[in-house]
Amino acid sequence: MHARAFVTVAALLLGVLAEQTEQGQAALTNDTAQCAPYSISLVADAQASYPTIGSPILSIPTTDTVALAKFNAITGIPNIAPKGVNGILSADTLNNYPTTDPDCWWTSSGCLTPKASGLAADTASVPEPRTLGYGFDDGPFCSHNEFYNYLSAQNQKATMFYIGSNVMWFPLQAQRAVVDGHEICVHTWSHHNMTAFTNEGAFAELYYTMQAIKLVTGVTPQCWRPPMGDVDDRIRYIASKLNLETILWKYDSFDWKVASGQATPAQVQANYDSLISDAGAGTFDTVGAIMLTHELTNYTMQTAVDNYPKLAAAFDHLVPIAVAQNKTQPYVETNVTFPSFAAYIASRSSTGGNSTSSSGTNSSSSTGSSSSSAGSSSSSGSGSSQSGTASGSSNAGVSFRLSYAHSAIIVVTTVAGAVLVLYY
Ligand SMILES: *[C@@H]1O[C@H](CO)[C@@H](O)[C@H](O)[C@H]1NC(C)=O
Ligand SMILES: *[C@@H]1O[C@H](CO)[C@@H](O)[C@H](O)[C@H]1NC(C)=O
Ligand SMILES: *[C@@H]1O[C@H](CO)[C@@H](O)[C@H](O)[C@H]1NC(C)=O
Ligand SMILES: *[C@@H]1O[C@H](CO)[C@@H](O)[C@H](O)[C@H]1NC(C)=O
Ligand SMILES: *[C@@H]1O[C@H](CO)[C@@H](O)[C@H](O)[C@H]1NC(C)=O
Ligand SMILES: *[C@@H]1O[C@H](CO)[C@@H](O)[C@H](O)[C@H]1NC(C)=O
Ligand SMILES: *[C@@H]1O[C@H](CO)[C@@H](O)[C@H](O)[C@H]1NC(C)=O
Ligand SMILES: [Zn+2]
């Protein structure tokens, strides 16, 4: 906490001389300042080898021989035609699709159990009873600090389904999720309907999001959620070849609909209340729940905050999805570990479920000192690149250690992007 205040002061003194840091960005509470475009060398240096940020990826760049080889090595993709063009669904395809649902197309039928052989069923609930697999789609949203501060104050971790383009636009916000102990899953590069891409486009939307998350946070997810839930057996197969588990939901808050006027806040609250009353009625006594909620607007995040105490009272446990699955190594990198379900629960009960009852043991305080030195290294102006590290162990037992390269040169803001504000 003190470290964050220190970094903020240091950043003010250094002005544009210092490259922004995760800790500096995380300390901002002014929404306009949080969303101001910035550039960090980690992303700027790599950007040329990534597809266009914010646009659907239609093919793998011909220069990326690694990605091309990986794609070309995939055989046996179910012979299902794309259901639209360039990520845009065709209304005719949807209207004329057989009710027999040959492709297990969620958008048409809500199908979660693939018809093609060899594919795992989608995850739409969590195995731990009376437990909510707690997560948010569409981040990293630029002004998410008040929301993440709240989660940290509750010592609550969640699963964040990140859009690759948003990770490239707001890498420091993405780093915060890992520093705070949240789990990261893939939510595609450009947030289009995945069944409306070619095989290559669908592969690329997933692959480059995995690469972006790895570049920025150091970890490679092994889970993904299709935007709009749009998945069929062809897309499931491609995702499975990237070792991505497909995660859907059975409850939808429809919080994303409020921004476009398709739903009222009262309707969204009724959806939260319905999940809460089902929990009270014993619906999750054998299998836990997943509800679709978003890190998308101030409204969706504030609604999550407002409902947190009610959810925490209705369920025995609110945990990231990996934790509810006992996945202690959720990422490709096996050196980043999560607590087992039992360990997560034990660590929360030992702190009263809440960091406020113990002092100095939350992730912010444990990362603060090492990160402030990383931040100050950027003032040297030598033009050389230094490496800063943040490491620690959060209250709920999530271990992490991140390495960020801090280039000690003057960085002029060049990013002209905006957060992808897309719904679902
Ligand atoms: C928030 O930051 C913006 C620019 O970053 C500034 O113009 C505005 O005055 C700030 N608002 C407050 C309340 O500090
Ligand atoms: C994706 O499909 C949904 C229907 O599930 C539709 O509402 C939405 O407009 C589609 N978006 C695109 C980009 O095709
Ligand atoms: C960390 O804990 C301190 C109290 O020890 C609290 O004031 C602070 O808000 C917490 N920070 C986070 C990010 O949880
Ligand atoms: C939403 O905006 C209000 C007003 O700016 C602010 O007080 C609140 O902290 C924000 N909530 C979240 C979760 O960002
Ligand atoms: C998680 O592990 C605990 C014991 O370590 C076990 O009781 C529980 O059933 C496991 N849950 C899952 C979903 O594997
Ligand atoms: C955590 O502590 C805060 C501040 O004391 C309190 O408002 C909140 O209700 C607590 N949450 C839980 C789940 O106990
Ligand atoms: C984890 O291992 C990878 C190599 O597999 C390495 O690049 C990375 O720095 C390590 N991360 C941590 C947090 O130690
Ligand atoms: Zn989404």
Side-chain angles (χ1 to χ4, degrees):
M1 187 171 141
H2 294 294
R4 281 197 170 155
F6 167 78
V7 170
T8 309
V9 172
L12 288 171
L13 292 173
L14 292 169
V16 295
L17 290 175
E19 179 156 308
Q20 281 176 254
T21 62
E22 185 278 319
Q23 290 75 21
Q25 179 67 34
L28 301 174
T29 50
N30 174 331
D31 286 359
T32 310
Q34 285 182 64
C35 291
Y38 60 82
S39 174
I40 61 169
S41 50
L42 187 66
V43 169
D45 293 351
Q47 202 156 323
S49 57
Y50 279 77
T52 306
I53 299 174
S55 297
I57 312 177
L58 308 184
S59 59
I60 298 166
T62 53
T63 47
D64 193 343
T65 52
V66 173
L68 282 166
K70 202 166 167 60
F71 173 65
N72 288 328
I74 300 177
T75 57
I77 299 176
N79 189 16
I80 295 170
K83 293 179 165 69
V85 176
N86 299 350
I88 312 280
L89 274 186
S90 148
D92 281 353
T93 304
L94 186 56
N95 294 337
N96 298 326
Y97 182 68
T99 53
T100 51
D101 189 19
D103 310 335
C104 184
W105 186 17
W106 187 92
T107 301
S108 173
S109 65
C111 181
L112 297 168
T113 307
K115 304 210 167 144
S117 61
L119 289 173
D122 301 339
T123 295
S125 53
V126 294
E128 287 294 341
R130 304 184 56 78
T131 297
L132 180 63
Y134 195 55
F136 298 89
D137 286 21
D138 294 4
F141 188 68
C142 50
S143 65
H144 70 187
N145 283 342
E146 296 95 326
F147 180 45
Y148 281 38
N149 290 348
Y150 179 83
L151 294 177
S152 290
Q154 307 299 321
N155 191 23
Q156 177 65 54
K157 320 297 180 198
T159 301
M160 305 302 184
F161 295 88
Y162 273 178
I163 297 171
S165 292
N166 285 355
V167 169
M168 295 295 273
W169 270 324
F170 297 108
L172 299 174
Q173 284 88 334
Q175 288 176 355
R176 176 171 184 175
V178 177
V179 169
D180 282 6
H182 300 305
E183 178 191 15
I184 302 189
C185 296
V186 163
H187 197 44
T188 78
W189 182 260
S190 70
H191 206 280
H192 280 67
N193 281 309
M194 287 290 280
T195 66
F197 282 107
T198 62
N199 292 344
E200 186 173 336
F203 171 91
E205 283 273 333
L206 297 171
Y207 177 83
Y208 286 105
T209 305
M210 296 168 76
Q211 296 297 116
I213 293 168
K214 166 72 174 172
L215 169 74
V216 165
T217 71
V219 296
T220 312
Q222 301 190 99
C223 43
W224 82 293
R225 175 170 282 166
M228 286 75 68
D230 189 46
V231 68
D232 66 8
D233 283 350
R234 181 175 67 94
I235 304 301
R236 287 185 183 93
Y237 187 91
I238 293 167
S240 77
K241 292 297 170 184
L242 284 162
N243 295 317
L244 294 172
E245 172 186 358
T246 301
I247 300 182
L248 285 149
W249 59 84
K250 287 188 181 165
Y251 285 76
D252 191 341
S253 69
F254 290 109
D255 58 353
W256 59 274
K257 282 189 169 185
V258 170
S260 56
Q262 296 170 269
T264 64
Q267 288 168 330
V268 172
Q269 189 54 51
N271 295 330
Y272 267 95
D273 290 345
S274 155
L275 174 72
I276 288 161
S277 86
D278 282 0
T283 305
F284 311 118
D285 282 359
T286 50
V287 175
I290 296 176
M291 180 164 74
L292 180 65
T293 49
H294 290 80
E295 172 185 340
L296 180 62
T297 63
N298 176 273
Y299 164 76
T300 64
M301 293 186 284
Q302 190 59 50
T303 301
V305 167
D306 294 344
N307 279 281
Y308 181 80
K310 294 183 235 177
L311 291 171
F315 286 88
D316 286 357
H317 309 291
L318 270 53
V319 304
I321 290 164
V323 170
Q325 297 173 322
N326 270 348
K327 285 192 177 160
T328 56
Q329 292 185 341
Y331 301 116
V332 170
E333 296 75 21
T334 53
N335 50 4
V336 177
T337 59
F338 269 48
S340 67
F341 180 78
Y344 184 97
I345 296 315
S347 84
R348 281 185 63 80
S349 55
S350 71
T351 62
N354 201 329
S355 65
T356 52
S357 61
S358 65
S359 64
T361 53
N362 61 15
S363 61
S364 172
S365 54
S366 62
T367 58
S369 58
S370 59
S371 55
S372 63
S373 64
S376 61
S377 70
S378 57
S379 64
S380 69
S382 65
S384 67
S385 195
Q386 299 183 16
S387 186
T389 62
S391 64
S393 178
S394 72
N395 230 1
V398 179
S399 312
F400 55 84
R401 187 176 164 280
L402 296 173
S403 296
Y404 307 131
H406 290 276
S407 178
I409 54 172
I410 295 174
V411 176
V412 180
T413 298
T414 54
V415 177
V419 69
L420 269 185
V421 179
L422 292 162
Y423 306 125
Y424 235 113

